Amino acid sequence: SGGAGGLAQWVLVELQGEVEPRQSGELAGSLLGDLHYTREGVPVLIVGHHILYGKVVQLEKPFAVLVKQGAGEPSPAGPHACYTVTALIKTKLLFKTRPKPIITNVPKKV
Amino acid sequence: SLVIRGEKDEQAVLCSKDKTYDMKIADTSNMLLFIPGCKTPEQLNADQASCNVIHSQIAGFSNNYWELRRCRPKLKKLRKLLMEDPYEGPDSWKDQTLTFSKYTTEDLLSLIQASEEEILHQLQVIDACKIEGFWRILEFDYEMKLLNHVTQLIDSESWSLSKVPLCTCLEELGSLEPREMIEHTLLSYGRKYIDDAGEVYFEMHEDKICRAIAQMLLQNAVKFNLSEFHEVWQQSVPEGMTTRLDQLKGLALVDKSSRPETIFLLKVEDLPEDNQERFNSLFSIREKWTEEDITPYIQDLCAEKQTVGALLTKYARSSMQNGVKVYNSRRPIS
């Protein structure tokens, strides 16, 4: 279990569908969006001009993040690769509602 | 740390120090982003600092993940590997010439789909021993030869079966066989203890010795007349030991339908490791089984907290025969 001095605790964000980079850019290094929490603890994600509401879920089966250590090419004589648990994920932020576009200028009907 | 084990033709398993897990890839249509150091609402509430923007990086994302399910360690291969070259004794010419088919602990760790502790435990269960750094299983005839030396000595010295002295055994038998082999036999067939004077003794396992002798008798015949077998078996075991059919669970099976009743060798370790294959194999040997007869042959299939009853419900169909509940195959067996 991750406790004081234990493993890093990460958080999973689960989104429906796919995330695409703006225009022809790359995902790596790009900004995804802003994450906020309401006073009630509801996670809110703003991606581009969309807003998504989600919920905090405690995972029944936590995830472990494994990082491969050791030799690249497997060989009978050489050292064997092994995996070290780098972090645990016990919580996820699940966004499964339809993203709503944020409209900043709503013309009033005259 | 964790180790993934398996050869190219095997399904991968993940092993911790003492447990084994089946690995299955699970796909999701959702996107999973992993964020180190991301805070949850509770953590932020506790942190009463003013509203700051925290720059977090998404470490990565994925559409799939590995799902683990605890499984039985796949240990049948261990016996298979060690049986490639069983140890026949120091006089055997084989050992001097052939050097392949011998396995160190490291070799076994890379070939067997089980955790280290499970492998080491199984090596003890099958009475394997380390000879010159390699794990070896004794060839059965050689093992019986060693056992016979020990039981004959116990008889000639009139020792109690629960107080067999290590020292004297090594002295008296050391000229006939390697001392390590004598001690290995005592360890395999007895329980080691130290008395108040600091002397090492063995309390012999009556059941295990009787069982080994039964195997010796049964393996040379397709089947044995049951009453004849009882007689010969009792006469063959050391003085003071009593033979009982229940010592042979998972080793031999009695055919109560034949006239006269017969008994034949059926070793659970010779049967398939996979659940369905095991049941198919058992049902092709005998169409209908009572729970009492089949239990020793399926006990090892039980997962953590699974009962034999649950296995029977899943893989067999029950019916009544002469007032007794019997199990047969769910599907036709060719």
Side-chain angles (χ1 to χ4, degrees):
Chain A
S1 62
L7 293 164
Q9 300 262 7
W10 291 7
V11 167
L12 201 66
V13 168
E14 187 169 342
L15 302 173
Q16 276 191 336
E18 283 175 30
V19 173
E20 277 175 11
R22 197 187 282 260
Q23 289 157 325
S24 54
E26 291 242 317
L27 276 180
S30 303
L31 174 71
L32 171 70
D34 297 334
L35 176 67
H36 304 260
Y37 293 106
T38 65
R39 257 189 229 104
E40 291 84 39
V42 174
V44 178
L45 191 62
I46 300 177
V47 179
H49 58 262
H50 283 98
I51 185 164
L52 299 98
Y53 292 89
K55 64 174 181 173
V56 178
V57 177
Q58 296 306 322
L59 293 172
E60 228 180 75
K61 277 196 191 178
F63 281 101
V65 180
L66 306 183
V67 174
K68 195 169 177 176
Q69 317 274 334
E73 281 308 303
S75 72
H80 296 283
C82 75
Y83 293 78
T84 313
V85 180
T86 334
L88 285 184
I89 302 176
K90 295 187 183 171
T91 316
K92 75 175 175 186
L93 307 178
L94 175 62
F95 293 93
K96 59 178 186 184
T97 57
R98 214 188 162 81
K100 292 186 178 61
I102 304 169
I103 302 163
T104 51
N105 184 22
V106 181
K108 276 207 165 89
K109 257 201 164 140
V110 179
Chain B
S1 57
L2 307 167
V3 180
I4 295 179
R5 296 196 160 116
E7 298 202 78
K8 286 203 179 80
D9 60 339
E10 293 168 329
Q11 299 253 345
V13 298
L14 185 110
C15 301
S16 65
K17 194 163 146 292
D18 63 347
K19 296 185 176 71
T20 308
Y21 301 85
D22 274 323
M23 292 179 79
K24 296 266 176 319
I25 227 177
D27 263 320
T28 168
S29 57
N30 292 351
M31 207 177 170
L32 306 171
L33 308 168
F34 344 119
I35 307 173
C38 175
K39 296 212 189 287
T40 59
E42 293 78 33
Q43 289 166 326
L44 286 169
N45 270 336
D47 209 343
Q48 285 298 338
S50 57
C51 294
N52 281 326
V53 176
I54 304 169
H55 291 279
S56 297
Q57 279 213 355
I58 299 168
F61 61 89
S62 181
N63 273 111
N64 53 52
Y65 54 90
W66 292 103
E67 204 173 273
L68 301 180
R69 197 176 303 169
R70 175 99 194 259
C71 64
R72 281 182 287 117
K74 300 181 199 311
L75 295 167
K76 193 175 159 76
K77 191 175 173 186
L78 179 61
R79 179 181 279 270
K80 176 171 159 263
L81 292 180
L82 297 184
M83 293 288 270
E84 283 173 1
D85 190 14
Y87 183 65
E88 290 176 17
D91 301 330
S92 163
W93 62 272
K94 264 176 50 183
D95 253 53
Q96 274 105 54
T97 52
L98 299 173
T99 47
F100 62 91
S101 281
K102 294 225 269 268
Y103 303 94
T104 61
T105 309
E106 285 306 306
D107 292 331
L108 294 176
L109 283 172
S110 67
L111 289 166
I112 307 294
Q113 292 187 292
S115 69
E116 184 168 355
E117 270 187 35
E118 286 163 331
I119 293 173
L120 291 174
H121 179 255
Q122 186 67 3
L123 285 167
Q124 206 185 41
V125 166
I126 62 177
D127 293 326
C129 58
K130 241 179 174 175
I131 298 173
E132 290 173 11
F134 297 103
W135 284 102
R136 309 295 295 276
I137 255 184
L138 264 46
E139 201 249 327
F140 188 67
D141 287 348
Y142 180 59
E143 189 174 340
M144 289 299 102
K145 185 174 162 206
L146 288 164
L147 181 62
N148 195 41
H149 282 316
V150 170
T151 53
Q152 286 210 331
L153 185 65
I154 293 173
D155 192 46
S156 67
E157 297 282 331
S158 298
W159 286 327
S160 152
L161 288 166
S162 55
K163 202 167 183 183
V164 176
L166 171 65
C167 243
T168 320
C169 281
L170 295 177
E171 269 170 43
E172 296 296 317
L173 301 171
S175 54
L176 300 168
E177 296 292 345
R179 293 164 74 94
E180 301 80 38
M181 290 296 105
I182 308 286
E183 190 166 354
H184 175 74
T185 305
L186 288 166
L187 284 164
S188 303
Y189 287 94
R191 182 187 67 86
K192 182 173 173 175
Y193 68 94
I194 301 176
D195 78 346
D196 300 325
E199 292 293 317
V200 179
Y201 289 94
F202 289 88
E203 181 189 355
M204 304 312 285
H205 291 312
E206 180 174 348
D207 290 349
K208 194 165 177 183
I209 294 175
C210 289
R211 189 185 169 96
I213 290 170
Q215 181 176 333
M216 190 176 67
L217 295 170
L218 289 167
Q219 68 179 22
N220 294 321
V222 170
K223 57 183 165 205
F224 237 100
N225 173 305
L226 184 62
S227 54
E228 278 175 24
F229 171 76
H230 269 305
E231 232 184 277
V232 177
W233 186 27
Q234 182 60 63
Q235 281 169 18
S236 309
V237 301
E239 187 81 38
M241 289 196 180
T242 311
T243 56
R244 291 185 329 268
L245 267 183
D246 69 76
Q247 291 162 342
L248 307 184
K249 283 189 198 289
L251 177 73
L253 201 56
V254 171
D255 187 354
K256 295 191 188 92
S257 65
S258 62
R259 294 279 168 269
E261 286 185 340
T262 54
I263 183 167
F264 61 96
L265 196 69
L266 180 63
K267 292 196 277 176
V268 63
E269 55 261 30
D270 290 342
L271 299 173
E273 197 172 22
D274 169 78
N275 288 15
Q276 187 63 64
E277 282 176 40
R278 172 79 61 92
F279 274 93
N280 290 354
S281 172
L282 288 170
F283 288 127
S284 64
I285 291 166
R286 178 181 282 186
E287 201 192 328
K288 293 188 205 280
W289 291 74
T290 60
E291 186 169 340
E292 194 189 350
D293 279 351
I294 205 172
T295 296
Y297 292 100
I298 57 174
Q299 187 81 67
D300 61 310
L301 301 179
C302 289
E304 229 179 332
K305 297 173 196 163
Q306 191 178 31
T307 61
V308 162
L311 276 175
L312 286 169
T313 307
K314 185 167 179 190
Y315 292 97
R317 187 179 295 151
S318 70
S319 59
M320 294 300 277
Q321 191 182 57
N322 302 329
V324 178
K325 192 173 191 184
V326 290
Y327 294 89
N328 58 300
S329 178
R330 276 180 178 274
R331 54 178 82 169
I333 299 282
S334 53

